[in-house]
Amino acid sequence: MSLTRFPGFIDVHVHLREPGATNKEDFTSGSRAAVKGGFTYVLDMPNNPGAPTITPERLEEKIRLAGQKAICDVGFHYGTDGHNVNTFPTVWQNPYVYGLKAYCDHTTGELLIEDEMQLEHVFKAWNSEKPILVHGQGETLSTCIELAQTFARRLHVCHVATKEDVEVIREAKKKKQLVTAGITLHHLFLSPADVKRLGNFALVKPEIGGKEDQNILWEALQDGTIDLVESDHAPHTKKEKKRTSPPFGVPGLETTLGLLWKAVHEGKLEQADIIRLLYDNPKKIFNIPDQPATYIALDPKKPYVVGHDGYETKCGWSPFDGWELYGKAETVVLRGKTLVQAGRLV
Ligand SMILES: [Zn+2]
């Protein structure tokens, strides 16, 4: 087996659920899933159920909990309900904060901003180099791009899922606007047949499009319109997913890297793309600090089956269960400390 070394990868979009929903994930299990998946730096989202990260106190609580429990580095995106703009200046100075997340279209959580005036207020108030991350599609996305332009804010568009949104982002980039974009692998890999078979277990926001959208998403990934891959790791218990109205989201930390190697295996991407999408661009866009003496090692050609040696995520399932992927992290070293050896967490 010949192992190749890579930097510890970065996932800028995860939901580690602590505090508020530690029945489905916490900083221990979520960071173990990250490390097992080849990530040494993750950025956690603010829409914790019942305890959204929209006050400096809640932010401090998360920083403390992650510091005690996480086995990799965790940074945070601050949240907004539109009423907490007066807390922005304290928060954007915090070195653990990497961006502001604005939920503009319906999804899981309580942070929806639907009023355009309120959204404008948020963009105006976030007077920081750190990006505003937006969950929003179609017209909402166009509004956010305009607001970012008006106030000269950096905008990161989360989980791009449709050909229309790709077009809007491509146009904005042509005009040299400060827009970046991320994509998830469930939007790239789950076919309409998979979505049908998985039912609630493929229910995500934004929803997974058809073949035409997917082809355009692959093109956008290859031509650089999309800057990075984000898992949007959103663990929910099997029980919750079986309900008649289940929560949106799927786990992704343990399958992102393997799916990207599958894309390399199939000739859709190259090895250099993986480093660009999971390290160089996330690091640059979110200004992630160096992690000295940190690396992962893997064999890009070695196949493995998802789920065969279990899951680290507390929710214990994956929409890719049973898929043959490639290049599982065999070694993970963070600041000189070995966290994964021979493919197992130590
Ligand atoms: Zn998300």
Side-chain angles (χ1 to χ4, degrees):
M1 186 166 63
S2 76
L3 298 183
T4 313
R5 273 197 192 194
F6 295 90
F9 289 127
I10 301 164
D11 191 340
V12 304
H13 187 157
V14 302
H15 300 265
L16 298 189
R17 305 291 190 214
E18 183 164 6
T22 51
N23 61 316
K24 40 191 167 190
E25 200 78 291
D26 57 34
F27 284 121
T28 307
S29 61
S31 64
R32 285 174 67 91
V35 168
K36 183 95 182 293
F39 295 93
T40 54
Y41 219 114
V42 296
L43 303 184
D44 182 51
M45 285 293 175
N47 62 333
N48 297 60
T53 320
I54 54 173
T55 66
E57 295 73 29
R58 287 254 175 79
L59 175 67
E60 288 303 332
E61 183 190 13
K62 263 195 174 179
I63 294 169
R64 183 176 52 78
L65 288 166
Q68 289 165 352
K69 298 174 76 174
I71 65 164
C72 66
D73 287 343
V74 183
F76 301 92
H77 298 303
Y78 194 58
T80 182
D81 57 359
H83 302 288
N84 63 341
V85 297
N86 60 331
T87 63
F88 287 179
T90 5
V91 163
W92 72 53
Q93 288 167 31
N94 189 315
Y96 287 95
V97 170
Y98 288 87
L100 175 76
K101 178 75 182 275
Y103 291 88
C104 309
D105 276 333
H106 178 65
T107 186
T108 306
E110 306 134 46
L111 297 179
L112 186 62
I113 301 177
E114 281 178 305
D115 181 68
E116 207 176 308
M117 288 301 289
Q118 206 171 42
L119 194 60
E120 185 175 332
H121 198 43
V122 165
F123 271 77
K124 190 176 177 186
W126 187 258
N127 185 11
S128 167
E129 284 288 297
K130 296 177 181 179
I132 297 174
L133 299 92
V134 64
H135 177 119
Q137 290 181 280
E139 263 182 54
T140 315
L141 176 58
S142 298
T143 304
C144 289
I145 290 176
E146 272 172 41
L147 287 172
Q149 170 84 331
T150 305
F151 297 107
R153 302 289 181 249
R154 294 175 57 208
L155 185 75
H156 178 74
V157 184
C158 295
H159 41 52
V160 177
T162 64
K163 62 179 196 306
E164 289 80 13
D165 288 357
V166 166
E167 246 349 281
V168 169
I169 292 160
R170 199 172 269 142
E171 281 309 305
K173 285 190 163 194
K174 269 190 205 151
K175 292 181 200 150
K176 303 273 178 246
Q177 281 192 242
L178 303 172
V179 178
T180 57
I183 195 165
T184 77
L185 293 182
H186 44 269
H187 287 108
L188 284 169
F189 275 93
L190 291 180
S191 69
D194 292 323
V195 170
K196 204 172 164 205
R197 173 177 55 84
L198 290 162
N200 287 355
F201 288 84
L203 196 69
V204 293
K205 283 282 178 189
E207 60 189 56
I208 295 166
K211 203 72 218 150
E212 201 193 343
D213 287 302
Q214 269 179 340
N215 290 339
I216 293 199
L217 292 176
W218 276 109
E219 271 172 39
L221 189 65
Q222 288 149 348
D223 73 16
T225 304
I226 287 168
D227 301 89
L228 57 81
V229 161
E230 51 195 36
S231 70
D232 195 3
H233 178 78
H236 297 290
T237 64
K238 289 180 190 170
K239 199 175 156 196
E240 288 169 323
K241 279 300 219 183
K242 284 177 186 163
R243 281 184 201 150
T244 34
S245 51
F248 304 111
V250 295
L253 274 168
E254 289 166 87
T255 46
T256 296
L257 185 54
L259 285 162
L260 286 174
W261 284 116
K262 180 177 162 71
V264 171
H265 195 78
E266 291 168 353
K268 289 175 171 162
L269 293 175
E270 290 174 18
Q271 179 170 310
D273 294 321
I274 296 189
I275 301 166
R276 171 174 64 93
L277 295 165
L278 291 187
Y279 183 74
D280 292 337
N281 284 348
K283 192 170 194 312
K284 194 167 66 189
I285 293 165
F286 290 95
N287 197 21
I288 308 276
D290 288 328
Q291 295 179 299
T294 298
Y295 67 90
I296 71 168
L298 54 85
D299 177 354
K301 294 201 167 69
K302 191 183 167 192
Y304 72 97
V305 177
V306 176
H308 264 195
D309 58 352
Y311 294 99
E312 291 300 328
T313 175
K314 214 183 255 191
C315 73
W317 63 275
S318 162
F320 300 101
D321 189 77
W323 285 40
E324 186 175 78
L325 305 183
Y326 298 87
K328 190 170 80 166
E330 299 290 341
T331 312
V332 178
V333 175
L334 174 58
R335 280 187 283 277
K337 192 178 166 201
T338 301
L339 300 179
V340 171
Q341 205 165 29
R344 291 182 180 280
L345 280 158
V346 291

